[in-house]
């Protein structure tokens, strides 16, 4: 079976999952973290090379303070407890997004986890945190402009490949498969540049209910896709 090298996921529906059960929204996020653990383990066991999870968008800062704080607490707890699994499964950890906006304590945990897993050779797990694709592209353009100004870069050198290297995802291949849970069919400012030729898969279940079987369904569907990248099939 054709396995995607890079899977990106918009983990949506935590709030609605909780609401349906008469629980506070944070209960949905707590359950969502359990799904994150299972999906990371499954991807690692299957031999997927890159997994990128949209955990907190630049727009999510607009949520009530109590929800933002709970999400940061969950993230801190996740980072403090996942290292043994990352060691055992040789998972390399990365982050994309505007990290300056994150609390200092979370930034420190992120840097520690990135450093401790830097030479792991298994799955690269990337969390998108305080991430917005338009913001990422603008930060990349600003960096390109600075390099043009100081003469490090010449105008004629700008190419798609060079520009990709200025994005937060530098060194990570574009996703082969994007999964979004909860039935919404939007990209929501996620990896706009990188998703140019990605296969899209939308499933109705809420993220806390997404399980091994759901992931397998997405992988089976991906295996039936005919990817032509704008060319014609032979
Ligand atoms: C979308 O559901 C989910 C989020 C905005 C946050 C995703 C976070 C997690 C899965 C938990 C934290 C992750 C880690 C790695 C610690 P929503 O709240 O928008 O749901 P709704 O659309 O039903 O309201």
């Amino acid at each position: 079976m054709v396995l995607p090298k890079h899977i990106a996921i918009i983990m949506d529906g935590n709030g609605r999952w909780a609401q349906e059960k008469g629980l506070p929204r944070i209960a949905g996020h707590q359950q969502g973290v359990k799904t994150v653990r299972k999906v990371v383990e499954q991807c690692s066991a299957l031999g997927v090379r890159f997994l990128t999870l949209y955990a907190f968008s630049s727009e999510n800062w607009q949520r009530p303070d109590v929800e933002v704080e709970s999400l940061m607490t969950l993230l801190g707890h996740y980072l403090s407890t996942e290292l043994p699994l990352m060691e055992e499964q040789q998972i390399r950890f990365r982050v994309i997004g505007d990290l300056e906006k994150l609390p200092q304590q979370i930034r420190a945990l992120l840097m520690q986890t990135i450093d401790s897993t830097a030479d792991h050779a298994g799955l690269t797990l990337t969390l998108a945190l305080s991430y917005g694709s338009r913001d990422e592209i603008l930060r990349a353009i600003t960096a390109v402009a600075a390099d043009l100004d100081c003469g490090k870069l010449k105008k004629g050198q700008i190419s798609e490949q060079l520009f990709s290297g200025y994005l937060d995802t530098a060194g990570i291949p574009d996703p082969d498969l994007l999964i979004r849970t909860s039935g919404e069919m939007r990209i929501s400012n996620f990896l706009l540049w990188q998703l140019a030729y990605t296969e899209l898969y939308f499933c109705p279940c809420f993220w806390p209910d997404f399980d091994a079987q759901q992931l397998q369904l997405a992988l089976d569907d991906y295996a039936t896709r005919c990817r032509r990248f704008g060319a014609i099939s032979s």
Side-chain angles (χ1 to χ4, degrees):
M1 198 179 89
V2 197
L3 189 68
K5 185 173 177 185
H6 182 178
I7 302 177
I9 307 184
I10 302 178
M11 310 182 286
D12 197 11
N14 294 349
R16 278 163 286 165
W17 180 91
Q19 201 176 6
E20 271 192 357
K21 295 182 159 41
L23 298 168
R25 291 178 57 82
I26 188 63
H29 296 312
Q30 279 164 345
Q31 200 62 33
V33 178
K34 292 186 185 163
T35 307
V36 167
R37 286 206 176 94
K38 285 188 261 172
V39 167
V40 168
E41 285 201 51
Q42 192 181 353
C43 285
S44 166
L46 285 170
V48 172
R49 302 300 303 153
F50 299 88
L51 175 67
T52 302
L53 302 177
Y54 205 4
F56 193 88
S57 74
S58 38
E59 289 73 30
N60 287 155
W61 289 115
Q62 297 164 35
R63 293 192 176 197
D65 288 352
V66 60
E67 182 164 343
V68 171
E69 278 160 27
S70 304
L71 279 166
M72 292 301 144
T73 306
L74 276 180
L75 176 63
H77 188 255
Y78 176 81
L79 292 169
S80 331
T81 51
E82 289 314 283
L83 204 54
L85 178 86
M86 292 184 190
E87 295 283 354
E88 185 195 303
Q89 305 201 352
Q90 284 293 293
I91 293 170
R92 185 172 177 198
F93 181 78
R94 279 188 63 158
V95 189
I96 55 173
D98 185 359
L99 305 188
E100 295 296 308
K101 298 210 172 100
L102 293 168
Q104 161 57 29
Q105 206 190 345
I106 295 287
R107 280 213 307 268
L109 274 171
L110 290 169
M111 293 314 143
Q112 261 173 34
T113 314
I114 292 169
D115 286 350
S116 321
T117 63
D119 55 10
H120 288 177
L123 171 78
T124 296
L125 167 65
T126 303
L127 286 191
L129 290 170
S130 188
Y131 176 87
S133 188
R134 288 182 174 179
D135 172 67
E136 176 194 32
I137 290 169
L138 285 183
R139 284 187 285 106
I141 289 172
T142 308
V144 169
D147 282 353
L148 285 170
D149 272 355
C150 73
K152 195 173 153 195
L153 194 63
K154 303 222 171 347
K155 231 160 69 180
Q157 289 176 295
I158 299 175
S159 64
E160 290 185 11
Q161 201 190 358
L162 178 126
F163 187 69
S164 294
Y166 279 83
L167 293 168
D168 295 350
T169 49
I172 300 177
D174 290 344
D176 300 295
L177 172 66
L178 171 81
I179 299 172
R180 181 172 189 149
T181 57
S182 92
E184 306 291 354
M185 296 191 201
R186 299 188 279 275
I187 300 300
S188 299
N189 203 12
F190 189 43
L191 303 174
L192 299 179
W193 171 276
Q194 298 87 338
L195 292 177
Y197 281 101
T198 300
E199 296 297 324
L200 308 180
Y201 180 86
F202 299 99
C203 73
C205 88
F206 295 141
W207 177 248
D209 289 328
F210 191 80
D211 59 12
Q213 200 189 350
Q214 296 285 337
L215 179 60
Q216 194 53 56
L217 283 176
L219 294 175
D220 291 346
D221 190 85
Y222 173 80
T224 67
R225 307 282 179 102
C226 174
R227 303 188 73 191
R228 294 187 292 278
F229 299 93
I232 50 172
S233 44
S234 50

